[in-house]
Amino acid sequence: MKKINTSKKIIDIIVGTRPNFVKVASLYDELHKNKKIYKNIQFRLIHTGQHYNKNLSSNFFIELKIPEPDYNLAIGSGSHVFQTANIMLAYEKILKNKLPYLCIVVGDVNSTMACAIAVKKFNIKIAHIEAGLRSGDLKMPEEINRIVTDSITDIFFTTSKFANQNLLRNGIRKKDIHFVGNTMIDTLKNNLLNLKKPKIWDVYNLCKKSYIIITLHRPSNVDEVENLSNLLKILSKARNEKFIFPVHPRTKLKLKFIKKIYKNVILTNPLSYLQFNYLLKYSKAVITDSGGITEEATFFNIPCLTLRDTTERPETVILGSNKLIGNNYLDLIKNIKKINSNKWKVSKIPEKWDGNAAKRILKILSQA
Ligand code: UD1
């Protein structure tokens, strides 16, 4: 298949899930703000459709002003192999019709790995945003996606020096690694003035610093109903605390089996980006198993308790407000007491999380 000649460099941008949308929004913002500088670049947006609910997908496009995708592969849900294989086949069809100059993949989801493999088979260069993250835990599907994607990536954009070290250790050449900062934090900074109070704020009489957010979606925390049930039981014992729990669809499937209702745990649908970050900014703390939220909590200096044993984002623990507490849920209460007595560490914002990552990335790509 020959590359079609064009006066502009066509760059494919791959998105599939909620965190991907947040990570590419700042690239569009930057491209839009400085059209003249990047006049030789044209993005072609490919949405794999891994996430398809309004709550997890289209609302993010609207709020973050991401243009309509050029292609929606509409893959939907299924096993990891099903998603990966079908995304590869669907993207291959697009590639056969017109090859891009370069393909940008972000993060570590199945869509990231699937499109990276497909495009590499056409000998097209890959740029990976958020390259080099490693948790060391191969039981996490995301870790497999990270390792495979980085093994065929050409241009590595990293969010921290820890990620640089991981890549160097894997034999990646220094000149291919670009420590650019964090596009998720760019998006947060770009939207600070647009954050929206969610409806539940008034419904539940929420006040600043009076509630704790919970988000959970990792298989290790939610796939066993018993784990989830234990966690809720423990939280219910902290009677003076109000927990707000926006429930991911994966978690909702399991919650159905838990009949007991706990008064101090308020369940809601997943919130939009602007609403969730409003809630986060004014929360007392967050309990989570998401990686992205540990970064946002670090930025806002909100105490963050991560229900995992490992992290691929050590800077959120070393510099930020994050603490890993694994699945020892009993530790939660002890840590909440510490937060209540104002003894939590104060976040330092990691280097280059300054809102300029997208600018650095596009500058490098426009010269590549
Ligand atoms: C995926 C990513 C994970 C990321 C998360 C963000 C992988 C391996 N996992 O996990 O890294 O942190 O997205 O949310 O790529 N569902 C819906 N509506 C949707 C999408 C999914 O109801 O729009 C349901 C599915 O039917 C399934 C569940 O949610 O039951 C899981 O969806 P899936 O995309 O497979 O993985 P996530 O757990 O969301």
Side-chain angles (χ1 to χ4, degrees):
M1 171 91 7
K2 274 195 181 153
K3 226 163 153 179
I4 291 167
N5 255 342
T6 159
S7 58
K8 290 204 179 209
K9 290 177 177 174
I10 307 277
I11 297 184
D12 278 359
I13 300 203
I14 309 298
V15 290
T17 68
R18 182 165 66 169
N20 297 160
F21 312 138
V22 180
K23 287 167 200 168
V24 304
S26 58
L27 294 176
Y28 278 97
D29 268 352
E30 173 61 18
L31 192 75
H32 192 70
K33 270 188 224 146
N34 288 304
K35 274 187 194 138
K36 277 192 190 151
I37 303 180
Y38 310 118
K39 59 180 185 301
N40 62 339
I41 289 181
Q42 188 182 329
F43 287 160
R44 182 170 74 165
L45 186 59
I46 319 278
H47 186 345
T48 65
Q50 184 177 341
H51 282 179
Y52 45 85
N53 273 9
K54 197 168 151 233
N55 281 339
L56 299 192
S57 179
S58 54
N59 280 350
F60 281 70
F61 279 76
I62 298 165
E63 285 195 345
L64 298 174
K65 302 189 180 70
I66 304 169
E68 283 277 301
D70 295 281
Y71 294 93
N72 191 324
L73 312 183
I75 294 308
S77 303
S79 72
H80 290 244
V81 171
F82 170 92
Q83 281 182 333
T84 306
N86 284 297
I87 292 170
M88 285 176 71
L89 285 168
Y91 186 35
E92 184 189 45
K93 273 194 195 147
I94 297 169
L95 293 168
K96 278 184 173 162
N97 192 30
K98 189 168 184 165
L99 285 174
Y101 162 79
L102 176 102
C103 175
I104 297 182
V105 294
V106 298
D108 56 15
V109 300
N110 290 341
S111 304
T112 312
M113 178 184 74
C115 289
I117 297 174
V119 80
K120 197 65 183 175
K121 298 281 183 184
F122 287 81
N123 206 14
I124 298 296
K125 277 191 181 174
I126 299 170
H128 183 198
I129 295 182
E130 217 182 72
L133 300 195
R134 297 288 184 274
S135 68
D137 179 1
L138 272 168
K139 291 195 293 304
M140 287 177 72
E142 294 81 2
E143 186 73 353
I144 302 169
N145 295 341
R146 291 178 197 122
I147 293 171
V148 174
T149 303
D150 281 343
S151 72
I152 52 175
T153 286
D154 300 275
I155 306 173
F156 301 80
F157 291 120
T158 62
T159 50
S160 80
K161 286 192 174 155
F162 297 102
N164 292 12
Q165 285 160 13
N166 292 334
L167 292 170
L168 290 170
R169 221 177 288 127
N170 286 353
I172 305 299
R173 294 177 307 184
K174 207 172 173 184
K175 72 178 180 65
D176 297 328
I177 304 171
H178 305 274
F179 174 29
V180 289
N182 192 325
T183 59
M184 207 172 205
I185 300 299
D186 289 4
T187 299
L188 190 56
K189 287 191 88 166
N190 290 342
N191 284 286
L192 283 178
L193 297 177
N194 307 330
L195 300 183
K196 267 192 220 152
K197 193 198 270 187
K199 274 196 191 130
I200 50 163
W201 188 275
D202 292 329
V203 175
Y204 294 102
N205 284 324
L206 301 183
C207 318
K208 290 182 183 174
K209 306 290 169 193
S210 71
Y211 57 89
I212 297 175
I213 304 177
I214 314 175
T215 85
L216 292 176
H217 71 280
R218 301 265 169 215
S220 56
N221 281 317
V222 303
D223 281 3
E224 296 293 330
V225 177
E226 205 185 323
N227 278 355
L228 203 52
S229 165
N230 277 343
L231 172 65
L232 293 179
K233 235 182 259 167
I234 286 166
L235 295 179
S236 71
K237 289 193 181 126
R239 284 205 194 93
N240 295 328
E241 303 295 341
K242 202 180 257 182
F243 296 98
I244 311 289
F245 189 176
V247 183
H248 184 280
R250 180 184 203 105
T251 315
K252 191 172 177 186
L253 286 177
K254 301 293 167 178
L255 275 180
K256 277 189 200 147
F257 297 101
I258 303 175
K259 296 278 177 275
K260 195 152 170 53
I261 294 168
Y262 297 105
K263 266 193 189 158
N264 63 336
V265 183
I266 297 165
L267 305 178
T268 77
N269 282 327
L271 296 170
S272 75
Y273 177 79
L274 297 177
Q275 294 182 356
F276 180 78
N277 279 292
Y278 182 99
L279 205 63
L280 181 62
K281 183 177 176 190
Y282 295 117
S283 65
K284 177 158 77 179
V286 59
I287 299 170
T288 190
D289 61 8
S290 147
I293 292 171
T294 66
E295 296 180 343
E296 289 162 341
T298 285
F299 179 82
F300 281 133
N301 187 27
I302 298 295
C304 177
L305 305 173
T306 293
L307 296 182
R308 287 176 51 193
D309 294 315
T310 57
T311 179
E312 57 291 334
R313 294 164 164 90
E315 62 280 9
T316 63
V317 175
I318 296 167
L319 295 168
S321 55
N322 187 18
K323 182 173 176 189
L324 301 180
I325 57 167
N327 58 6
N328 185 1
Y329 301 148
L330 287 171
D331 259 12
L332 273 174
I333 302 296
K334 202 171 77 195
N335 280 292
I336 290 172
K337 277 189 187 147
K338 195 168 169 190
I339 292 165
N340 281 336
S341 53
N342 285 326
K343 287 188 183 138
W344 206 255
K345 55 185 171 166
V346 175
S347 261
K348 287 195 195 82
I349 306 236
E351 193 182 344
K352 292 199 186 170
W353 288 20
D354 56 2
N356 293 317
K359 200 187 266 292
R360 295 187 188 104
I361 289 169
L362 285 179
K363 193 173 165 205
I364 292 163
L365 292 184
S366 60
Q367 290 160 3

